[in-house]
Amino acid sequence: MIRQTLTMEDGDCMPSQYGMTQKAQRREHFLHLFKARELVTLAVLAASLLVTFRIWESAERSAQQNLSTAFDFRVRESNIRIEQRLAVYEQILRATVGLFASADTVTRNEFRAFVSSLSLQEMFPGIEGVGLSIIVPPGQKDTHVAAVRAEGFPEYDIRPPGDRDFQTSIVYLEPFFGRNLRAFGFDMFSEPHRRAAMEEARDSGRTAISSKVVLVQESGTEVQDGFLMYLPVFRNNAPRASVEERRASILGWVYAPFRMEDFMRGVNGELTNDVDVEIYDGELVNPAARMYDSHVEVEASSPARGLKRVAYIQTGSRTWTVVTSAMPEFDVRMHSDRPRLILQSGVSISLLIALLIWLFLDDRARALQAADQAMQLALYDALTGLPNRKLLDERLGVELTKARRDRSHVALLFIDLDKFKPVNDNFGHAYGDLLLKEVARRLQSCMRESDTASRLGGDEFVALLSGIEDDEATLRVADKILLRLTEPYEIAGHTFHISASIGAAVYPRDGIDSKSLVRSADVAMYVAKNAGRANVKLAERTH
């Protein structure tokens, strides 16, 4: 370092000091800029992450609500099928009572021919057979036993043995082979649970169902809990207006025995593994009253279960408590990736915006572009590019407002793909994603510019039709979409054949607001799916 001696007169001391001051000022200015850049960047990043969190939180709530709604539909569908199956079997007994009402005497062969015509094993799963239990009047037991033995049953007798004030006996039971032979001659009135149901049917003149029992047909291996359904048989033309008259004119009961696991087989179709169903006899969830459990390794009534519903099925004067909980397969099948995609996309966008501001603090155009991209990801489906649920809700609200003002109509089509799950299962999600993109393209090709095609998630799509004229016009568009979506798909060298179930709802008939209109279309879609899929159903008229 060269040391110099300077005086005030030299004049070169001030410039040097001034240069040092300018350098310090610039340094300070740069520090302020750096601090400002950091503060602005951090502020924008924090704000962006907060927005992302709010959007993710809303999407997560929406996904959970959708999951809960789908589970509710699933539970209702399962319970309705149980009720329908019970109603069908009651009609079988009513038809059998009609057989005895048509003649004073029905022979064993006539009864066998009638029951055989019903094709029970092929058409009605779970029912073990249809039988007749008659009352054996006091003092006529020996005569009765001799008469049945004379029909070719030398070992026939009323069981359990012994004399009772009131005795019955199962004399007809078809099909008459296998485990049903064990019930031949059994006095059901001797057993308290069966007797209670038989007395109820007799006194009311209507169908009655027993409490939980073990059928006499059980052999000791693979024993199932069961129940019996009874319908009284009265003497033809005998008065039966009062309880006393019905007790005086009773001849016996037609009945059907059921094994619970056989009865429930096929109720939930292909989605058996989606839910755990437990059925309890009575209104209490009591292990001793449990009649059926679809997954014994899972405790559906446990407080630890997530999605769980308790419903009550009234059949006759009995109540069944049905506890349904979601299995992991249901969560996997109905899981929505939308919240995760929003979170990942939002975090990525937040970092991107922060980086852009860090690099281009003075470039407002780039910042606006990044914000526009963020808004784009928030309102459109990441896979197909279609409007997502949020944007659909906004457009639906606008169209409903316009329709109220113009007194016009708006149609909403709820579209659920059929046979899509096997594509993911057998070929992987990559093929499934390509297939969903093609579905989106075809859906858009069937619609006007003023309409909106949206993807809600998974294989669910919605079409919003503005200014629709009537149901016929709605069905024309829906049929056009169905025809287009049913055409074969050529994806990466593979040909796929899928279809769609479409539910249609029209404002204002099927809903006066967004929520009710979407719900009507969704319900109509499930009706279409239950009707055999690959079809279109209009919502039922509610207004």
Side-chain angles (χ1 to χ4, degrees):
M1 178 175 172
I2 300 175
R3 184 167 179 167
Q4 296 182 351
T5 302
L6 299 176
T7 64
M8 293 295 296
E9 288 77 9
D10 290 330
D12 57 352
C13 183
M14 292 299 298
S16 176
Q17 186 68 31
Y18 179 74
M20 293 176 63
T21 302
Q22 278 192 322
K23 187 176 181 180
Q25 290 177 344
R26 286 198 302 271
R27 185 183 300 112
E28 188 69 20
H29 178 67
F30 290 149
L31 288 175
H32 282 303
L33 287 178
F34 290 150
K35 289 180 180 180
R37 183 180 65 175
E38 292 171 357
L39 290 174
V40 170
T41 302
L42 289 175
V44 171
L45 180 60
S48 300
L49 290 176
L50 179 61
V51 171
T52 297
F53 173 76
R54 294 300 184 190
I55 296 175
W56 170 83
E57 189 178 44
S58 175
E60 185 68 19
R61 284 197 301 266
S62 178
Q64 291 299 322
Q65 182 61 43
N66 290 340
L67 185 66
S68 179
T69 300
F71 182 68
D72 287 338
F73 276 112
R74 185 75 182 80
V75 171
R76 281 198 295 271
E77 182 183 34
S78 176
N79 292 339
I80 287 173
R81 287 183 178 180
I82 295 173
E83 292 174 337
Q84 289 175 340
R85 186 164 286 189
L86 287 169
V88 168
Y89 294 155
E90 180 180 354
Q91 292 306 313
I92 291 176
L93 293 189
R94 291 189 180 279
T96 307
V97 169
L99 172 67
F100 287 96
S102 65
D104 292 333
T105 302
V106 176
T107 67
R108 188 178 301 276
N109 288 334
E110 291 171 340
F111 185 82
R112 178 180 294 114
F114 172 78
V115 176
S116 177
S117 69
L118 298 177
S119 301
L120 295 179
Q121 294 181 331
E122 295 82 7
M123 303 298 295
F124 305 99
I127 188 170
E128 293 297 306
V130 176
L132 171 68
S133 176
I134 64 170
I135 298 173
V136 180
Q140 298 185 22
K141 176 181 177 181
D142 293 339
T143 303
H144 165 77
V145 171
V148 176
R149 289 179 177 179
E151 293 184 49
F153 305 100
E155 298 182 358
Y156 169 80
D157 205 349
I158 297 178
R159 296 177 291 107
D163 293 328
R164 291 175 288 278
D165 293 338
F166 192 97
Q167 285 189 317
T168 67
S169 178
I170 299 173
V171 292
Y172 294 167
L173 181 57
E174 298 294 337
F176 195 60
F177 59 81
R179 59 166 53 97
N180 278 348
L181 296 177
R182 301 189 188 97
F184 188 42
F186 178 61
D187 179 7
M188 291 188 288
F189 208 81
S190 66
E191 195 277 318
H193 296 291
R194 293 170 172 83
R195 179 170 63 249
M198 295 168 78
E199 290 176 338
E200 178 191 339
R202 176 197 64 193
D203 293 347
S204 66
R206 296 189 295 269
T207 304
I209 287 181
S210 74
S211 59
K212 169 186 172 182
V213 299
V214 175
L215 302 178
V216 295
Q217 284 93 328
E218 297 293 355
S219 62
T221 59
E222 298 183 0
V223 175
Q224 300 180 20
D225 292 320
F227 68 95
L228 301 107
M229 183 181 291
Y230 296 94
L231 197 62
V233 177
F234 300 102
R235 285 196 302 273
N236 291 338
N237 303 317
R240 62 188 76 165
S242 65
V243 173
E244 291 74 16
E245 289 176 344
R246 287 192 285 271
R247 290 180 177 179
S249 60
I250 185 76
L251 292 176
W253 295 262
V254 294
Y255 81 102
F258 299 90
R259 305 173 82 211
M260 280 303 298
E261 291 185 18
D262 296 340
F263 172 82
M264 290 295 294
R265 186 171 293 120
V267 166
N268 289 312
E270 300 176 355
L271 303 178
T272 301
N273 292 328
D274 273 15
V275 293
D276 177 32
V277 178
E278 295 180 0
I279 299 178
Y280 296 83
D281 182 29
E283 298 183 3
L284 298 178
V285 178
N286 185 347
R290 184 184 294 136
M291 301 173 66
Y292 173 76
D293 189 349
S294 62
H295 294 81
V296 294
E297 73 281 3
V298 176
E299 189 71 28
S301 57
S302 170
R305 302 298 294 172
L307 284 174
K308 179 177 65 177
R309 299 291 185 272
V310 178
Y312 301 94
I313 293 179
Q314 196 74 28
T315 173
S317 62
R318 293 210 67 78
T319 299
W320 285 357
T321 300
V322 183
V323 182
T324 309
S325 66
M327 295 290 287
E329 289 80 357
F330 178 84
D331 294 334
V332 170
R333 188 170 64 83
M334 300 302 300
H335 176 72
S336 173
D337 288 333
R338 182 169 174 263
R340 179 178 59 83
L341 291 175
I342 288 177
L343 183 60
Q344 292 177 346
S345 301
V347 170
S348 299
I349 294 169
S350 298
L351 294 174
L352 178 61
I353 293 175
L355 179 61
L356 290 174
I357 292 178
W358 180 275
L359 297 175
F360 309 103
L361 188 60
D362 58 342
D363 193 344
R364 297 181 180 179
R366 293 179 182 273
L368 291 174
Q369 183 181 15
D372 181 67
Q373 291 175 350
M375 186 61 67
Q376 184 79 8
L377 287 175
L379 297 177
Y380 290 85
D381 177 55
L383 177 64
T384 63
L386 294 179
N388 61 17
R389 182 183 295 273
K390 180 177 179 62
L391 184 55
L392 174 67
D393 289 344
E394 293 178 0
R395 293 187 179 179
L396 179 56
V398 171
E399 291 299 332
L400 290 180
T401 301
K402 180 180 178 183
R404 292 189 192 98
R405 183 182 65 245
D406 300 341
R407 298 184 181 276
S408 59
H409 299 86
V410 175
L412 196 70
L413 305 181
F414 206 105
I415 305 166
D416 188 89
L417 300 182
D418 302 326
K419 303 177 183 178
F420 174 75
K421 186 175 182 294
V423 175
N424 277 338
D425 292 344
N426 298 328
F427 294 88
H429 288 281
Y431 281 88
D433 290 347
L434 292 174
L435 184 58
L436 288 175
K437 290 181 179 180
E438 178 61 16
V439 168
R441 189 189 65 79
R442 293 187 183 186
L443 180 59
Q444 285 181 305
S445 69
C446 297
M447 303 175 64
R448 303 166 299 179
E449 291 184 359
S450 59
D451 299 332
T452 298
S454 172
R455 180 185 178 222
L456 300 186
D459 58 350
E460 292 183 341
F461 295 81
V462 170
L464 172 61
L465 310 178
S466 61
I468 202 72
E469 296 177 2
D470 49 28
D471 287 353
E472 183 177 354
T474 302
L475 289 175
R476 281 200 303 269
V477 177
D479 289 337
K480 179 180 178 181
I481 292 174
L482 179 61
L483 181 63
R484 188 74 177 93
L485 297 184
T486 308
E487 295 175 2
Y489 294 79
E490 299 291 335
I491 305 293
H494 294 273
T495 301
F496 299 96
H497 296 274
I498 65 171
S499 59
S501 298
I502 302 178
V506 179
Y507 167 86
R509 187 194 67 200
D510 303 318
I512 59 174
D513 55 29
S514 301
K515 183 180 294 185
S516 59
L517 196 64
V518 171
R519 182 170 58 250
S520 296
D522 193 17
V523 171
M525 182 275 292
Y526 274 96
V527 172
K529 190 171 287 291
N530 291 335
R533 304 181 179 180
N535 63 84
V536 179
K537 292 294 183 180
L538 281 169
E540 295 181 1
R541 294 180 179 271
T542 58
H543 298 279

